[in-house]
Amino acid sequence: MRHPADRDGDDARPTRRPRGRQPPGSRGRNRFNAALLRLLTGPGRGVVALDSNADVAAEARSRLDYTGYGDVIVLTREGAFGVPEYAPYQRGIFTVGPWDLPPGFLAQFTNGARLVVPLRWRGQSRSVAFVRDGDTWRSESIELCGCEP
């Protein structure tokens, strides 16, 4: 499987990365997930990618532009606050393990929205798919994953 954000093939990944984080030191976790979501949603559907590291965000922006995903919004900021200026959202994915899911961030999602989050308990990471049901978030699926906290 070719890495969707690398049409030149310099970063092929044969694994399922949307539910977990890239290994430390690897390139492209932000552009990879953004490109996958953009492929799933289609052009102009409001894919927003965040990274707190400006260099990572700049590389993601450059590679997404290069590979034809220029309509993906890439921002440098702390992900815990979300992006209220582009809300509401129907889908979301964390590619790092958060310590908490802040109410202000969760409020940016519509009813019926799905949010995939890697959570760690009892020494193992699990990818949990939550669905918003009114003011409640319920887990719909849980899978073991290999992300870092």
Side-chain angles (χ1 to χ4, degrees):
M1 173 177 153
R2 289 182 77 131
H3 191 288
D6 280 319
R7 291 190 183 150
D8 58 2
D10 72 343
D11 204 10
R13 301 223 194 287
T15 59
R16 287 179 26 187
R17 291 288 183 203
R19 292 188 67 96
R21 182 178 177 187
Q22 301 284 351
S26 69
R27 301 176 315 125
R29 74 174 179 264
N30 202 333
R31 72 174 190 262
F32 178 74
N33 288 303
L36 283 177
L37 290 172
R38 168 50 178 71
L39 283 171
L40 291 171
T41 62
R45 296 296 304 263
V47 174
V48 179
L50 301 178
D51 203 295
S52 59
N53 182 314
D55 292 336
V56 172
E59 182 181 345
R61 169 78 282 145
S62 173
R63 298 294 274 177
L64 287 164
D65 287 342
Y66 173 75
T67 55
Y69 302 114
D71 58 338
V72 172
I73 299 163
V74 179
L75 301 171
T76 302
R77 68 169 66 161
E78 176 57 49
F81 303 114
V83 187
E85 62 267 32
Y86 294 105
Y89 299 101
Q90 298 173 342
R91 301 285 186 265
I93 182 169
F94 273 77
T95 56
V96 296
W99 290 104
D100 193 9
L101 297 174
F105 173 81
L106 295 175
Q108 296 173 30
F109 289 86
T110 62
N111 193 44
R114 176 182 291 266
L115 178 62
V116 178
V117 182
L119 298 174
R120 188 170 180 84
W121 67 90
R122 293 188 178 186
Q124 291 185 315
S125 294
R126 293 163 177 89
S127 178
V128 182
F130 291 100
V131 176
R132 185 173 184 176
D133 185 8
D135 291 333
T136 303
W137 286 85
R138 60 179 171 76
S139 63
E140 191 168 79
S141 71
I142 299 175
E143 292 186 31
L144 290 175
C145 67
C147 76
E148 295 181 24

